[in-house]
Amino acid sequence: MRVDIGNALDEVASPGVPRDALERLDERVADAHERIARGRADDEFGYAALNLPETADPDAVRAAVEPFDDVETVLTVGIGGSALGAATLSSALADADAPDAYYLDNVDPDHVRTLLDGLDLSRTVVDVVSRSGTTAETLANFLVVREAMAEEGVDWTERTLVTTGESGNLRDLAEKHDLPSVRVPEGVPGRFSVLSTVGLAPAALQGIDIDALLAGAAEAADGLSGSLFETPAYAYGATAYALDIRGAGVNAMMPYAEGLETFAEWFAQLWAESLGKDGLGQTPVRALGATDQHSQLQLYRAGPRDKLVTFVDVDDRPDVPIPETDLEGLDYLADTDLGELLDAEFRATEASLAESGRPSVRVELDALDAHSLGGLLYGMEAACVLAGELYEVETFTQPAVEWGKEAARDILRGERDRSEKATLRVE
C-alpha cells in the first residue's frame, strides 16, 4: 500500500493541511506510535488486532474447514465485523470457480427467507460467527437456518462451522455436537477481526490464499515507524484527522475496483464505530469508481467543503480490449481497453477535485490480490488506531452500539417502551 497525500495539502485544497502543520503533527504521531507499540507488546485489548499477522494460525483454520467437502455455498451468519471482513475478502479475491458466498447479517425476514429458499442447503456450509455466542441477530438467524436444514432433511451438525470465543452458547453447542470450530482471539474487536479466524475461515472455504493475505499484512506491520512521512498507514490516518479538524468531517471512500466495493463498507464500520465518540470523528461515505462519478461527484466537487475523498487505485488490471467500432464520436476508444478507460476515469476525477480545490488522498495497490489486500486491510486498521490516538478517544469500544443492543433486548422482554420520544405521525 502506497499513500499520496499531495492533494490534501493547503496549497491544493481547502480545507487542506499546511506542510508545516504536518511536520508538527508528526511529533504527536511519534508519541502515538510509541503507545501503539506498547499496546501491541502487552497484547492489550484492541492493540492485539495489530499482532494478527503473527498470532493468526492459518493451519488451525485449514484443519477446521477440512471436513467439509462438496461445498457449493458458504453461508456466513454474523453481523457487523463478524460478516463484513469475510465479505470483503470474498468480493475481492474469490475466483469464478470458488463456492458462492452469502451473508446473513440482518434479520429482515423477507431477505432471510428468500436467501434460504434459493440455496441447496445439503451443499452449503454454515459458518456461525459470534465471539460471545449470545449476539441476538446472529443466534436468531442461525436457529432459522438450522430449522430450514432440518425441514430439508439435512443434518445441520454435518454442515456447520462455529467461530466463537472460549465460552458461551455457541462454544457449548460446538462441544455438545462435536462441531468443527475455530476460536475468536481474545482482545480483537469484531471490526478489527478480518485477519483472524473470523475472516480467514470463510476465506479458506472459498479457496482464498490466506497465507498470502497474512504475508501482505505482516509486511505492512513491519513497515510501521514513528513518522507519518515514512509509514503509509500513519500518513493516511494523520491526514484524515488533520482534515477533519479543519472541516472535512466526511470521508468518502471511493475504490476504483469493483472487487473493493465491499471493502468500502468494511471501512465505514471500522472508521465510524472506532472514532465516532465524544462529538468527534469523520462520517464515512461509501462510493465506487467509476460508477459514482455519475451519482456523487457533483456533490463532492461543487457541494459543501466538508469532504475528504479517498481513492483506492489498482495498478495491475486484467486486459479487456475495447472492440473497434464505426460509431461516430468514439474514436478516442480505439486501441484501448477497459482498464485504461477506468484509469482515465480515475485520473479525471482526481484532477477534477484538485482543480476545484477539494481534498483527496490516493491509496495505491500493486494488484487486487491476497498479498496487496492484506496490506490494505492492515494499513487501514493501523491508520484507524493512529487516528484514535490523535483524537484521544477510546478506539476499541462502542458504547452507543451496546446501548442499542440492550434496548432491543429490553423491548423484546417487554421491559422498555418501544418509543421513548414524542412522535408526530402523518398518515
Side-chain angles (χ1 to χ4, degrees):
M1 181 178 95
R2 302 179 300 278
V3 172
D4 187 335
I5 62 174
N7 283 343
L9 299 176
D10 70 341
E11 57 207 58
V12 174
S14 175
V17 187
R19 289 179 185 266
D20 59 351
L22 279 178
E23 291 171 1
R24 292 193 301 272
L25 184 59
D26 200 39
E27 297 177 8
R28 293 187 60 198
V29 170
D31 292 339
H33 174 68
E34 288 186 8
R35 173 66 186 96
I36 292 168
R38 289 198 305 273
R40 292 181 64 193
D42 295 338
D43 225 24
E44 288 183 42
F45 180 79
Y47 298 98
L50 297 182
N51 292 333
L52 283 171
E54 294 180 20
T55 59
D57 186 352
D59 290 333
V61 170
R62 281 187 284 267
V65 304
E66 186 177 9
F68 301 105
D69 55 12
D70 193 26
V71 180
E72 182 178 281
T73 303
V74 179
L75 177 60
T76 299
V77 182
I79 196 166
S82 295
L84 276 174
T88 297
L89 299 181
S90 176
S91 296
L93 301 176
D95 61 33
D97 297 326
D100 293 330
Y102 296 96
Y103 305 88
L104 281 181
D105 59 352
N106 203 338
V107 289
D108 182 312
D110 284 337
H111 170 68
V112 173
R113 179 50 58 198
T114 300
L115 176 60
L116 294 180
D117 285 348
L119 297 181
D120 180 354
L121 294 176
S122 69
R123 301 180 65 185
T124 296
V125 174
V126 177
D127 179 20
V128 55
V129 187
S130 170
R131 176 201 303 279
S132 66
T134 61
T135 308
E137 299 91 341
T138 298
L139 270 294
N141 275 334
F142 177 60
L143 292 173
V144 171
V145 172
R146 196 169 72 171
E147 183 175 75
M149 285 183 157
E151 289 174 353
E152 291 192 14
V154 177
D155 184 350
W156 67 271
T157 66
E158 298 293 325
R159 311 299 298 175
T160 299
L161 171 69
V162 172
T163 303
T164 192
E166 293 189 7
S167 61
N169 291 334
L170 282 181
R171 177 56 56 197
D172 294 342
L173 187 74
E175 292 176 355
K176 177 180 179 180
H177 296 282
D178 195 25
L179 304 177
S181 67
V182 287
R183 293 190 185 277
V184 178
E186 293 295 324
V188 178
R191 59 190 176 276
F192 287 89
S193 66
V194 60
L195 297 171
S196 77
T197 51
V198 174
L200 298 181
L205 283 164
Q206 284 198 285
I208 291 170
D209 189 344
I210 61 176
D211 291 306
L213 187 75
L214 291 171
E219 186 174 295
D222 290 343
L224 296 182
S225 76
S227 172
L228 71 89
F229 297 108
E230 298 174 359
T231 306
Y234 289 171
Y236 182 75
T239 301
Y241 162 80
L243 285 169
D244 182 23
I245 65 175
R246 288 168 172 78
V250 176
N251 188 340
M253 176 58 70
M254 194 170 186
Y256 271 73
E258 193 87 17
L260 290 175
E261 184 173 14
T262 309
F263 159 77
E265 297 184 38
W266 173 86
F267 173 84
Q269 182 194 7
L270 178 75
W271 214 245
E273 198 167 48
S274 299
L275 305 177
K277 288 143 190 171
D278 304 331
L280 302 170
Q282 284 181 316
T283 299
V285 173
R286 297 169 286 181
L288 178 67
T291 301
D292 287 317
Q293 290 174 220
H294 298 269
S295 65
Q296 298 179 29
L297 181 59
Q298 178 66 37
L299 176 68
Y300 299 162
R301 191 180 194 275
R305 292 181 176 273
D306 61 352
K307 299 170 190 68
L308 158 66
V309 178
T310 301
F311 297 112
V312 183
D313 188 37
V314 179
D315 291 344
D316 187 18
R317 304 181 189 274
D319 292 328
V320 181
I322 299 174
E324 292 185 8
T325 179
D326 57 0
L327 295 176
E328 186 176 349
L330 295 180
D331 56 297
Y332 63 91
L333 294 177
D335 300 319
T336 63
D337 65 27
L338 292 182
E340 290 179 83
L341 176 58
L342 185 60
D343 186 61
E345 297 275 9
F346 160 61
R347 303 284 175 180
T349 303
E350 186 180 51
S352 172
L353 292 176
E355 193 278 335
S356 61
R358 309 302 173 110
S360 68
V361 171
R362 184 198 307 173
V363 178
E364 299 172 325
L365 304 181
D366 291 333
L368 189 52
D369 58 21
H371 188 277
S372 293
L373 185 63
L376 174 66
L377 295 170
Y378 187 93
M380 285 301 168
E381 289 181 354
C384 182
V385 175
L386 183 278
E389 300 293 336
L390 297 177
Y391 282 114
E392 298 181 345
V393 297
E394 295 290 338
T395 307
F396 306 114
T397 62
Q398 53 283 333
V401 176
E402 299 304 325
W403 190 96
K405 289 180 181 179
E406 288 298 326
R409 294 189 187 102
D410 290 347
I411 289 172
L412 289 171
R413 295 184 184 115
E415 298 173 358
R416 182 190 294 264
D417 187 0
R418 290 173 182 265
S419 175
E420 295 189 355
K421 59 184 286 294
T423 60
L424 177 59
R425 181 175 290 121
V426 178
E427 299 181 356

